[in-house]
Amino acid sequence: MFEFLFKGLIRDKSRSLLPVIVVSLGVTLSVFFIGYIEGFSTDMISQNARFGTGHVKVMTREYVKNISQRPLDLSILEADKLLEQLNDKYPEMDWVRRFSFGGILDVPDKNGITKTQGIAGGMAFNLSSSSKDLERMQIRENLVEGKMPSGSFEMLLGKGLAERMGVKLGDTITFFGATMDGSMSFQNFTYVGAVSFGMSVMDDRTFIIDTKDAEQILDMENAAQEIFGFLPNDIYDGDKIQEVKNSFNALYENDTDEYAPEMLALRDQNGLSTMLDLMNTFASIFNIFFIFAMSIVLWNTGLLGGLRRYTEFGIRIAIGESKKAIYKSLLLESVIVGVIGSIIGTVFGLLLTFYLQEVGLDISNVTSGQNSVLISNVIRAKLVSTQLWIGFIPGVMATFLGALLSGRGIFKRQTSELFNELGV
């Protein structure tokens, strides 16, 4: 039966061509959309983890309450002891200190008079050559001018910030800010290079220094504003992260000290939980919508096909084939069409995903000037194993539902009227 129906569909293009095209287009969009959502969410998680949240982040309780202000005076003291504890309890994870602060950068001319000046956000990482954080942040790979800092009080600027301030390699830049204790801080830095991370929020407003320099200018020796934790190979695992967070916070559950450490997961910060859940929900709604839309189109296609095959069905009933058998053959035809269309659509969807993964879509005109969301200027999709089968759900279900609805007319045919209908 299967071989018979398959040959019939191949030979009679009017029965299969339009449904296969409709299914292929729908499945292509569904498969591509899954890859797009996966790429977008993966990039968002990666960028936020690297620069803003870590997979987990440890801070003081009071700091957590005021986290949007990033208050230096509520930072962790005796950070070495806490880092030792974290490394002992979770040795598979990488724990690093981070500093994020603001200040004024002043570029003097040859006479010492201010040439350019502006507000910028500072970030401090461990920039030593043996640092895992250096590799994680890909600072060396994103260096577009100059060299990596190798001595004390050397500074990297975001490419956009360097261009706006008009600095040249070797220029002196004076930092004006506040220390952990609230006193004023002044320090001269040497501009040694520019970096471009492909994110406007980083490239246009950020400067980077080493953690040792940050400790001195902020009076934060053996202190940490935030401690980031990363899973092995920097691969995010929501369930594992939740387990680490719960076990750590349980250690200080009965501690009444307002400066006791508290751990937040990536999803607990920057509204990422809502955004990630919305993307997953939207992907499900998108697939349901395509199942419904394609079912309506294929229902109409089935009704038109039923009219064209009206005589064929009449003859088959007249020669003794049961209505149920005809109905079953229509449903089986729909499954065959759905599978063929899904295979074709999956191939094209994977090709589109691969193209966007390798080439990307530049949205720098949209992200330029925004200062709150860590999102790349180039959107990329991501090939995932889910795409190999997800398209068959809307593809096969839509054709099956379309045939299920349109084929009901077979049961309305009356055997007694067939000879009049067929003109015999």
Side-chain angles (χ1 to χ4, degrees):
M1 175 62 77
F2 176 84
E3 184 179 356
F4 172 77
L5 293 175
F6 182 75
K7 288 182 178 179
L9 290 171
I10 297 299
R11 290 169 181 172
D12 187 358
K13 298 294 190 298
S14 60
R15 291 163 56 184
S16 58
L17 184 60
L18 181 59
V20 166
I21 290 174
V22 172
V23 172
S24 297
L25 288 174
V27 171
T28 296
L29 290 174
S30 297
V31 171
F32 171 72
F33 186 73
I34 293 297
Y36 170 79
I37 288 292
E38 187 67 28
F40 184 82
S41 61
T42 299
D43 178 76
M44 185 170 66
I45 289 173
S46 174
Q47 301 292 15
N48 277 275
R50 289 165 59 203
F51 293 101
T53 66
H55 291 161
V56 291
K57 184 194 291 185
V58 181
M59 302 150 286
T60 64
R61 288 174 179 168
E62 286 299 310
Y63 186 99
V64 172
K65 294 177 183 179
N66 302 275
I67 191 171
S68 61
Q69 303 175 26
R70 299 186 182 276
L72 292 174
D73 57 318
L74 301 178
S75 298
I76 300 169
L77 301 178
E78 297 183 347
D80 289 347
K81 291 183 179 180
L82 182 56
L83 282 168
E84 184 178 353
Q85 177 188 355
L86 290 168
N87 284 314
D88 288 342
K89 188 169 179 60
Y90 311 104
E92 73 281 3
M93 297 184 66
D94 184 35
W95 301 95
V96 295
R97 290 191 302 159
R98 291 286 181 86
F99 298 90
S100 181
F101 53 96
I104 297 175
L105 298 183
D106 181 275
V107 181
D109 59 17
K110 60 182 181 180
N111 297 317
I113 300 174
T114 297
K115 182 174 62 174
T116 56
Q117 190 179 84
I119 298 174
M123 300 186 74
F125 310 113
N126 183 353
L127 300 179
S128 63
S129 58
S130 59
S131 169
K132 290 184 180 179
D133 220 18
L134 181 63
E135 180 181 350
R136 176 181 299 115
M137 303 308 297
Q138 299 177 352
I139 297 176
R140 186 179 287 108
E141 291 82 354
N142 291 306
L143 197 66
V144 294
E145 180 184 45
K147 65 180 183 67
M148 290 293 299
S150 56
S152 298
F153 301 115
E154 293 184 339
M155 175 185 290
L156 296 173
L157 296 182
K159 181 182 178 183
L161 180 60
E163 291 174 351
R164 189 169 70 250
M165 299 195 72
V167 292
K168 298 179 180 179
L169 295 176
D171 282 356
T172 297
I173 300 176
T174 303
F175 168 79
F176 297 85
T179 67
M180 179 180 179
D181 300 320
S183 59
M184 292 295 295
S185 175
F186 306 89
Q187 181 62 51
N188 287 333
F189 285 84
T190 302
Y191 169 62
V192 296
V195 291
S196 177
F197 293 104
M199 295 183 291
S200 296
V201 66
M202 293 294 298
D203 297 342
D204 297 340
R205 296 176 59 86
T206 304
F207 64 91
I208 297 172
I209 61 175
D210 190 80
T211 50
K212 293 181 179 179
D213 296 336
E215 285 181 339
Q216 294 190 45
I217 66 173
L218 302 175
D219 287 342
M220 293 182 66
E221 186 177 355
N222 195 23
Q225 187 181 16
E226 302 167 342
I227 297 177
F228 284 24
F230 296 91
L231 290 174
N233 301 317
D234 293 337
I235 298 175
Y236 179 75
D237 183 336
D239 293 335
K240 176 64 177 176
I241 286 301
Q242 195 65 30
E243 180 183 331
V244 171
K245 169 194 163 184
N246 292 338
S247 67
F248 179 83
N249 288 336
L251 298 175
Y252 297 91
E253 188 174 4
N254 298 321
D255 192 334
T256 58
D257 186 359
E258 59 186 4
Y259 293 102
E262 180 177 347
M263 182 180 289
L264 295 182
L266 178 144
R267 290 175 62 91
D268 301 329
Q269 306 170 62
N270 299 347
L272 289 175
S273 177
T274 302
M275 293 182 67
L276 292 173
D277 290 341
L278 279 175
M279 283 192 291
N280 291 332
T281 302
F282 188 60
S284 300
I285 293 174
F286 187 84
N287 274 326
I288 293 172
F289 168 77
F290 265 98
I291 290 175
F292 177 77
M294 286 193 295
S295 296
I296 296 298
V297 173
L298 293 169
W299 179 15
N300 292 328
T301 303
L303 289 174
L304 293 175
L307 292 174
R308 187 184 63 78
R309 300 174 67 184
Y310 191 78
T311 302
E312 175 197 333
F313 293 152
I315 293 174
R316 291 170 66 178
I317 294 173
I319 63 177
E321 189 174 359
S322 69
K323 295 176 182 179
K324 285 186 177 180
I326 297 174
Y327 191 51
K328 287 180 181 179
S329 69
L330 277 180
L331 296 180
L332 185 55
E333 282 183 9
S334 71
V335 172
I336 295 173
V337 169
V339 171
I340 294 173
S342 297
I343 292 173
I344 296 173
T346 298
V347 170
F348 279 103
L350 291 173
L351 289 175
L352 285 174
T353 304
F354 179 75
Y355 175 80
L356 192 61
Q357 176 179 278
E358 297 302 313
V359 178
L361 177 65
D362 189 351
I363 59 168
S364 55
N365 291 334
V366 178
T367 58
S368 178
Q370 66 86 18
N371 303 311
S372 57
V373 182
L374 288 172
I375 180 173
S376 297
N377 292 339
V378 178
I379 290 180
R380 297 184 185 276
K382 182 181 179 182
L383 288 170
V384 292
S385 59
T386 306
Q387 293 176 281
L388 296 174
W389 57 266
I390 194 68
F392 287 85
I393 296 177
V396 176
M397 283 188 65
T399 54
F400 187 79
L401 287 173
L404 201 66
L405 295 170
S406 63
R408 292 178 305 168
I410 294 173
F411 294 97
K412 298 178 181 179
R413 304 291 293 273
Q414 299 298 323
T415 306
S416 60
E417 299 176 1
L418 288 176
F419 287 98
N420 290 331
E421 292 179 4
L422 298 173
V424 179

